[in-house]
Amino acid sequence: GENVEQHPSTLSVQEGDSAVIKCTYSDSASNYFPWYKQELGKRPQLIIDIRSNVGEKKDQRIAVTLNKTAKHFSLHITETQPEDSAVYFCAASIGTGANNLFFGTGTRLTVIP
Amino acid sequence: NAGVTQTPKFQVLKTGQSMTLQCAQDMNHEYMSWYRQDPGMGLRLIHYSVGAGITDQGEVRNGYNVSRSPTEDFPLRLLSAAPSQTSVYFCASSWDISTDTQYFGPGTRLTVL
């Protein structure tokens, strides 16, 4: 099956700086790559996603890039704010949507005011 | 809409006991799934269902059973609980197997002694 690796496991940034989280996947058939944010004790929530036919997608301060050749994708958060502090998970799916997702191990982001 | 609901929120079991984790959604979603979340391991798919009476296993294969009838409910049964099943369990649903946005329930924290 698919194997998703995520780095770093922890990340601390100063408020206003940018944060980048990287993931690699093993199965070249994967074609859907969502990112989830999970606050302490809460459920995961989808923040952005990208399909394999797109190289980059942006939503305000959040962007995701995908390199299919290298089989890696990244989450970029600009102008970080304390409320961005959470655990972020990447995932990959071979299916046509958010089914049979394989998750990375998570990155704990801390934004220091 | 209540969205995706899960009960109980917390549960403590003794080794060998059986129990059912409840999951329901009121959004007429066809696709439902169960994940477990362990520290440092992200979320892993246990079972999923694409419609009434149709279920399949994910990467976590042993010790769990599911059913899907009616389509609003997707209970997860632990047949004989083991300490290795101590985890946080999340139920999720989406419109159908090809839909991107997956909605997660609030989770059930299970401890097996």
Side-chain angles (χ1 to χ4, degrees):
Chain A
E2 173 68 279
N3 181 43
V4 178
E5 295 189 355
Q6 183 172 347
H7 300 280
S9 57
T10 60
L11 179 61
S12 293
V13 299
Q14 292 288 336
E15 182 177 358
D17 287 350
S18 295
V20 180
I21 303 170
K22 299 181 179 180
C23 289
T24 60
Y25 60 98
S26 61
D27 196 328
S28 57
S30 290
N31 58 18
Y32 174 66
F33 308 92
W35 285 89
Y36 288 85
K37 176 183 180 182
Q38 187 178 30
E39 297 175 353
L40 188 63
K42 300 291 183 62
R43 71 194 78 187
Q45 291 193 306
L46 178 71
I47 56 172
I48 196 168
D49 56 11
I50 193 168
R51 290 196 169 277
S52 58
N53 59 349
V54 176
E56 183 175 358
K57 185 176 179 180
K58 190 173 182 180
D59 182 4
Q60 298 183 341
R61 297 186 297 108
I62 296 173
V64 56
T65 58
L66 171 65
N67 184 325
K68 286 174 54 181
T69 303
K71 290 190 282 188
H72 69 69
F73 55 112
S74 300
L75 177 71
H76 304 254
I77 306 174
T78 59
E79 301 173 18
T80 54
Q81 301 168 2
E83 51 265 38
D84 294 330
S85 295
V87 179
Y88 292 81
F89 292 95
C90 63
S93 171
I94 299 173
T96 53
N99 60 85
N100 290 12
L101 288 172
F102 288 84
F103 282 81
T105 51
T107 296
R108 182 175 299 280
L109 174 64
T110 302
V111 180
I112 305 167
Chain B
N1 285 355
V4 181
T5 58
Q6 289 182 239
T7 56
K9 285 189 175 181
F10 303 95
Q11 182 70 50
V12 179
L13 291 177
K14 294 181 179 178
T15 297
Q17 286 184 314
S18 63
M19 80 156 294
T20 300
L21 308 185
Q22 301 292 343
C23 174
Q25 51 88 11
D26 60 358
M27 298 175 282
N28 293 319
H29 285 176
E30 288 188 357
Y31 183 82
M32 297 185 73
S33 56
W34 276 102
Y35 293 88
R36 61 177 288 174
Q37 184 174 30
D38 302 300
M41 296 186 70
L43 288 87
R44 292 183 292 159
L45 183 66
I46 305 171
H47 278 284
Y48 64 94
S49 168
V50 299
I54 306 172
T55 64
D56 205 348
Q57 290 179 310
E59 61 175 309
V60 180
R61 293 187 164 257
N62 298 321
Y64 306 92
N65 203 354
V66 291
S67 59
R68 186 84 184 276
S69 177
T71 54
E72 299 82 19
D73 299 332
F74 192 43
L76 179 72
R77 297 182 185 84
L78 279 69
L79 309 174
S80 178
S84 60
Q85 293 178 306
T86 294
S87 188
V88 179
Y89 291 84
F90 287 100
C91 178
S93 74
S94 60
W95 183 250
D96 60 29
I97 198 169
S98 63
T99 303
D100 295 348
T101 304
Q102 184 163 217
Y103 297 88
F104 282 86
T108 294
R109 183 174 294 275
L110 176 68
T111 301
V112 183
L113 303 175

